[in-house]
Amino acid sequence: MSELLAHADRELSQRNPIGVLDAMAAAGGPAYCPLVYGYVTYQRPLGGEPGSLRLAAFDAPVGPAGIGSVLGGTGVAITRSAVELGAAAALIRTLLSDEVQIGRYAELGGQSSARRAWQHPGADAAGGGFYRATLATVEQAWVRPRFAGYLEFQTAASALLREGLLAGEPHTGPVRRLNDLYAAARSKSTADGVMS
């Protein structure tokens, strides 16, 4: 990571994925980022801010095990306090239907969770080829943990690694602190009674 960072823009290294993609879509911005969360909206034919460039997505570089990325995202759930469970279940069925996942969601710039949408030519065309270009990455990605507190851990861990790498700190210190941070997050999740 430190060798890769030596070739990176220091200011850009402080940004989140959307900030990096915004910079790339601006005139004169960076031309390449090897690993960044993908957002179909940056590749859509008619998307983006006026004057912004349309980006091209590709599969992520992979390591020896064939994994090159982390799969995140958000989902839909029903709260335990829901009174109209039938109506909530009907809404979820509608959201997961082909009409929404392959049709409306793709048309409006959403990234479907349904594999069939990522393989659908119409959805891919609506996304400027994003789905076809990144399908192998999505299928081979490591799925991030879903325990309560993971997102906070990810934010803190990213800052810890970024600061250690930018400071040129020997790897043992940040790795030890990262392991401690993860153990604390898992311990808190278990203590709160919320597990994945």
Side-chain angles (χ1 to χ4, degrees), residues 35 59-69 136-137 140:
L35 285 172
D59 280 316
V62 297
I67 298 172
S69 188
T137 295
Q140 297 168 12

Side-chain angles (χ1 to χ4, degrees), residues 69-87:
S69 188
V70 175
L71 185 61
T74 56
V76 178
I78 300 173
T79 179
R80 290 181 184 172
S81 63
V83 177
E84 296 291 333
L85 290 179

Side-chain angles (χ1 to χ4, degrees), residues 117-143:
W118 286 70
Q119 296 174 314
H120 193 275
D124 190 52
F130 176 85
Y131 298 112
R132 179 181 24 82
T134 59
L135 181 60
T137 295
V138 170
E139 290 184 332
Q140 297 168 12
W142 174 73
V143 179

Side-chain angles (χ1 to χ4, degrees), residues 33-60:
C33 180
L35 285 172
V36 66
Y37 280 125
Y39 296 91
V40 69
T41 50
Y42 287 90
Q43 193 164 324
R44 284 173 54 87
L46 301 175
E49 295 294 318
S52 67
L53 303 173
R54 190 173 136 206
L55 303 181
F58 301 93
D59 280 316

